[in-house]
Amino acid sequence: MSSHEPVVRLLQAGDELAWRRLWDGYLEFYQSTLPDSVTDATWTKLTSGDAAFLGTVAELDGEVVGIANSILHATTWSESLFCYLNDLYVDPDVRGKGIGKLLIDDLLAKAEAQGWARVYWSTKADNAVARRLYDRYGETDGFVRYARKFE
């Protein structure tokens, strides 16, 4: 395989600096800020071995250029797990090279191999670039998300 081919692998402890750089870019993209304690807790969840949290990264030429943070959970709608792709972000310098698609395809392959019932994700309605990619996987499900914050 050429060193110029992107690869997806599980998040590792040695990826922390790269993950945090991309996480910061993700938060900036969504014009959000979080306390450092939340970022620290997220990193710990993704690297602790807790089966409910799955972190994957995409590498290009040995550099981590994309992240996908997912949560596996039980549901009342199936006997099998659902997987929520909570965060997907690709370094702007390498967008358009199929990195986001590779991360999603890897997650879908895991779902099929492990018998998960559903993989789902959301994005802002005006995120046209991401939606062009997501539209390749199907249509929106027609649900409107509501949220009430307590922190």
Side-chain angles (χ1 to χ4, degrees), residues 80-121:
S80 301
L81 294 174
F82 278 17
C83 177
Y84 178 53
L85 173 54
N86 204 112
D87 316 298
L88 177 70
Y89 185 75
V90 173
D91 187 317
D93 291 340
V94 297
R95 289 194 186 145
K97 296 181 185 272
I99 305 292
K101 181 180 184 316
L102 195 65
L103 285 161
I104 292 171
D105 288 347
D106 177 76
L107 189 61
L108 297 177
K110 282 178 175 52
E112 187 170 0
Q114 296 181 29
W116 304 339
R118 179 178 300 174
V119 175
Y120 66 104
W121 59 92

Side-chain angles (χ1 to χ4, degrees), residues 11-28 34-47 57 64-67 69 89 91:
L11 184 66
Q12 301 170 356
D15 297 325
E16 185 171 5
L17 289 177
W19 179 89
R20 286 178 182 269
R21 177 182 61 82
L22 293 167
W23 177 254
D24 288 345
Y26 178 73
L27 294 176
E28 183 179 325
L34 293 172
D36 289 342
S37 62
V38 172
T39 295
D40 294 344
T42 299
W43 172 255
T44 298
K45 289 172 191 173
L46 292 169
T47 57
V57 297
V64 174
V65 295
I67 58 173
N69 305 324
Y89 185 75
D91 187 317

